[in-house]
Amino acid sequence: MGKRRHLAFTISVAILFGVRTVSASARDFPCSDLRKAKAARLISILGTLPSELDFSHGTGCYSEDEDNPKQCDWKVAVDEDRNISDDRRLIVVDSEHMIGTGGWMDVLVLGCRAGKVTALFYDEFLYAVDVEEASADKLVLKFGKWVGSDPHCCPSMEERQVYVWSKDAQKYVLERDYSFPIAKP
C-alpha cells in the first residue's frame, strides 16, 4: 500500500510541477539510429520515469508489484511515432492502468547531442494529450486541466502549451501557456 501512496504522491508532484526536460543519453544509440530504431527500444533510454514506470523493455506490460513481476498493472503502447525533422523524432507513449482507473501519456522528442540519441523534451500528461504541432522549431500540446472541484473524469479547462526551440539552451522552452473553458454539450 505504501508504494501506491508513493505513486499517488509522485503523480501529484508531476501535475504540480509540469514539464521536465531530461538529458538521459543512450550509449547504444548513435545518432545514425534515430530515424530507424524501433520506438519501443528508444523509449527505454529514459529508464525509470517520474511516474515510476520502468520503460526498460519498451512497450508491453509492467507490474507495480516487485513480488509479482508478471502481473500486468500497466499496459504501455506507442500512440504516435514520427520524424519531425532530419534530426528529431516525436514519440507519444500511452500507459493505461489495467487494474485501476487512469492513464498517462508521455511526449518525448529525441534528437542528437554529442553523437548520441538524447531526450530533448519530455513531459507526462494525465489521461491524454494532443500534439497539435511538432517540428524542429515548435511543439504545441493541448490537454485537460482540472480546477477547483472538477471530477476526476472531467476537466473543465483545456490548456495549450507552445514550446519553441532555443538554439542557445539546446532545448524546447515554454513560450506560451494558456487555458480556456471546455465547451459543455
Side-chain angles (χ1 to χ4, degrees), residues 3-5 11 19 25 41 43 45 48 51 54 69 73 79 88 91 95 102 106 131 136 150-151 180-181:
K3 191 166 187 171
R4 288 181 188 239
R5 271 193 218 131
I11 290 168
V19 70
S25 293
R41 285 203 59 225
I43 63 173
I45 73 169
T48 301
S51 66
D54 175 1
D73 296 319
D79 190 62
R88 305 261 169 83
I91 300 175
S95 301
D106 299 275
V131 178
D150 287 352
F180 47 93

Side-chain angles (χ1 to χ4, degrees), residues 95-108:
S95 301
E96 183 182 354
H97 197 205
M98 303 303 288
I99 61 167
T101 60
W104 293 96
M105 291 191 87
D106 299 275
V107 176
L108 177 64

